[in-house]
Amino acid sequence: MSAGLPEINAALLQKRIDELALITEAPPPAVTRVLFSDADLRGRDYVAGLCRSAGLSLRVDAVGNMFARWAGSAPEIPAVATGSHTDAIPNAGKYDGVVGVLGGLAAIEALQEAGFQPMRSIELVVFTAEEPTRFGIGCLGSRMLAGAIALEKIRGLRDADNTTLEALRGRAGLDEALESVALPEGFYSAFVELHIEQGPILEKEHIPIGVVQAIAGPSAYRVRITGEGGHAGAVLMPWRHDASLAAAELALAVEKAALASGSPDTGATTGKWEIFPNAINSVPCEALLEIDLRDTCLETRERALTLMRSASDEIAARRGVKVVWDEINADPPADGDAKTMAMAEDVAGKLDLATMRMVSRAYHDSLFMARVCPTTMIFIPCRHGFSHRPEEFSDPAHIAAGARVLAGTLARLSHEP
Ligand code: GLV
Ligand code: MN
Ligand code: MN
């Protein structure tokens, strides 16, 4: 235990990351674990087994968030928490979320092996559906823990096959009332999430640890464009109301609006498209787009949205199509907690690990945990900043360093009066 901080078993941690990566719906090296799919459920079981072996007590809430607790000497006061997610978007890599879950467990095990006695309990949380793949809304589990979504909205969620979240959680044996998910006030004293950066900055700067001071606020919109279909040979070009071309113009307007903000923190993506009837010799009569718009500054995000909406009105009028926007979510950004950030930096300093403060343009469960308790994130480098693709890679030494900083930070937080 050099510098008074426990060592991480980097080889074991890597072995577990590799094992979990083999539980996937997509052929390796791609990882796909969509909410409540067989792979998602088996992935959770894998982590639950490891947590049990570490002597942690397990609880699973009504939406599938899993809590693995190492009881402290003062179990009656708020616990310290860490964690992340194991669900993975289609064709993802093996580190996103997983580093925070298995790295969090490795941090707890390292503290156990070093003979550390927690005062506040330390809890590892595996959040349900950080990714929006199945129901279009991200951070489902942490959003519900923070009480940041109406339960009516949850009950109305349906996936692309029209299956409700309610049916899926029933099949997974989760039959408690949804009302029980939101955490009571003061449940945790602090939350720290370990995560790969998902961007190139730490690698470029040769800095092993990022400390997250802000997380961009995400928003998402579903846009339905209704035009007029017909025969691709017979409908004359000047008379067309092609929904797909209106969608294409709108996607370009979305890009233009984000670029016009002048801020590197504004990001807009039209990542999901459905065209109906999707046949080569038929003029598309309907298009369904999903637009992801994020910013660390709400005013800038609003300005970009206003530009997109007015472009949408102009396209609709000019092309004679109907465009209907529905907001899926519009979440405010979150700030890192100053004291927790300073603590993580101090721990890293004791380990001779350089740090830098960072903005997370990706969202994380920490976005919602910041509403529950003081929160920060520890970022580690990932090769070329690649994420959400099978080439995602983090050096085992960087993962272990991040887990070590996490262990030291959890230890201090656990003894905070
Ligand atoms: C989370 O994966 C995000 O889209 O930021
Ligand atoms: Mn992700
Ligand atoms: Mn993630």
Side-chain angles (χ1 to χ4, degrees), residues 85 89 96 130-132 198 292 294 361-364 388:
H85 61 99
I89 67 159
D96 175 8
E130 190 266 355
E131 302 291 8
Q198 303 182 288
D292 175 310
R294 315 170 182 217
R361 294 181 188 85
Y363 58 72
H364 302 281
H388 282 188

Side-chain angles (χ1 to χ4, degrees), residues 116-309:
F116 176 78
Q117 296 294 329
M119 179 186 72
R120 295 179 182 276
S121 301
I122 300 180
E123 189 149 279
L124 176 72
V125 189
V126 184
F127 297 97
T128 286
E130 190 266 355
E131 302 291 8
T133 313
R134 188 149 198 173
F135 288 105
I137 186 159
C139 298
L140 197 59
S142 50
R143 194 181 284 275
M144 289 180 70
L145 288 175
I149 182 166
L151 296 183
E152 271 327 294
K153 199 164 172 184
I154 297 288
R155 290 190 183 98
L157 288 176
R158 286 172 186 276
D159 69 7
D161 297 327
N162 218 20
T163 309
T164 61
L165 174 71
E166 285 301 79
L168 286 171
R169 71 182 189 96
R171 267 183 237 162
L174 304 169
D175 41 25
E176 271 180 65
L178 290 176
E179 282 73 7
S180 61
V181 174
L183 293 174
E185 224 183 300
F187 190 79
Y188 290 127
S189 65
F191 178 76
V192 186
E193 178 174 4
L194 175 65
H195 206 284
I196 59 168
E197 182 202 335
Q198 303 182 288
I201 297 170
L202 290 172
E203 183 184 54
K204 272 210 177 93
E205 303 288 333
H206 301 287
I207 292 186
I209 299 291
V211 175
V212 173
Q213 60 183 6
I215 304 176
S219 64
Y221 303 88
R222 193 169 287 125
V223 181
R224 184 176 294 278
I225 303 177
T226 312
E228 217 171 284
H231 195 290
V235 184
L236 296 182
M237 293 301 287
W239 294 354
R240 291 194 182 187
H241 304 283
D242 184 323
S244 150
L245 293 179
E249 278 203 57
L250 178 56
L252 291 173
V254 163
E255 181 195 37
K256 195 167 160 199
L259 287 170
S261 94
S263 160
D265 293 336
T266 315
T269 309
T270 308
K272 200 167 165 188
W273 297 69
E274 280 172 34
I275 303 295
F276 189 79
N278 207 21
I280 188 171
N281 56 352
S282 176
V283 178
C285 61
E286 201 158 280
L288 192 66
L289 301 182
E290 285 185 11
I291 297 167
D292 175 310
L293 169 63
R294 315 170 182 217
D295 211 302
T296 46
C297 169
L298 273 187
E299 291 76 45
T300 319
R301 191 177 84 189
E302 276 309 305
R303 262 202 307 278
L305 180 64
T306 305
L307 283 177
M308 291 172 196
R309 297 295 302 255

Side-chain angles (χ1 to χ4, degrees), residues 8 14 24 32 35 46 50 63 69-70 73 130 140 168 180 215 219 254 261 283 287 290 326 332 349 371 381 383:
I8 298 293
Q14 187 60 49
T24 166
T32 301
L35 173 66
Y46 174 81
L50 296 177
V63 77
R69 181 169 284 228
W70 181 16
S73 59
E130 190 266 355
L140 197 59
L168 286 171
S180 61
I215 304 176
S219 64
V254 163
S261 94
V283 178
E290 285 185 11
D326 277 319
R371 300 191 191 190
R383 190 160 65 199

